[in-house]
Amino acid sequence: MKYIRRRQTPQLVSAGPSEESIEIYGGHPVKYLIIEGEAAAAEFAVKINGVQIINSTVQTLTKENGIRYGFDGVGGENTMLAVLSLETEHVTDVVNTRGIRQMTFVKKTDHNFDITVAEEYNY
């Protein structure tokens, strides 16, 4: 039986414009990331196995996910919240998340980020 578990990572707190990163892989297949930025224009990147797969802003990713996930991304309550799906080839070209050995979230601008990782468990 498969279960999805959400896991909160430590917050990336604003400490200047320099890049800061946090390892967010916990050893289980990652289904998606819920990214909450301090501002819609907060820029971030995600690296898998040392290769950058996405470099985006919360606002841009929210617009893409607004269509697929059904929440408003323009002027609504979810403007600073984005979902990065790793289940489909649509966004990341990473289909087999079991091949992930390292996943890193990189803060590119001077904003705070809260990251929630949704992982798949087989019991």
Side-chain angles (χ1 to χ4, degrees):
M1 184 173 248
K2 294 183 179 181
Y3 293 95
I4 304 295
R5 183 181 84 166
R6 293 176 297 165
R7 176 176 52 86
Q8 185 76 34
T9 65
Q11 184 183 47
L12 275 173
V13 179
S14 180
S18 62
E19 293 186 3
E20 288 183 55
S21 61
I22 186 169
E23 181 74 28
I24 56 176
Y25 181 61
H28 297 279
V30 177
K31 301 300 263 179
Y32 53 87
L33 302 177
I34 302 170
I35 302 164
E36 186 171 358
E38 186 178 55
E43 187 178 348
F44 65 91
V46 175
K47 294 180 180 180
I48 293 181
N49 298 339
V51 177
Q52 183 172 293
I53 61 159
I54 190 165
N55 184 6
S56 185
T57 63
V58 172
Q59 181 177 20
T60 302
L61 199 57
T62 298
K63 288 178 183 175
E64 291 178 12
N65 288 320
I67 297 167
R68 294 189 298 144
Y69 291 95
F71 61 83
D72 64 344
V74 182
E77 63 186 61
N78 295 312
T79 53
M80 292 181 276
L81 184 68
V83 177
L84 176 60
S85 174
L86 299 174
E87 295 180 299
T88 65
E89 201 169 351
H90 176 70
V91 175
T92 63
D93 292 332
V94 176
V95 177
N96 182 9
T97 59
R98 284 169 174 75
I100 296 174
R101 292 180 306 281
Q102 177 188 33
M103 182 180 287
T104 308
F105 183 88
V106 181
K107 174 182 83 73
K108 297 254 192 175
T109 54
D110 189 16
H111 294 100
N112 296 335
F113 283 97
D114 285 316
I115 312 300
T116 303
V117 181
E119 299 169 316
E120 180 182 293
Y121 284 78
N122 294 323
Y123 290 105

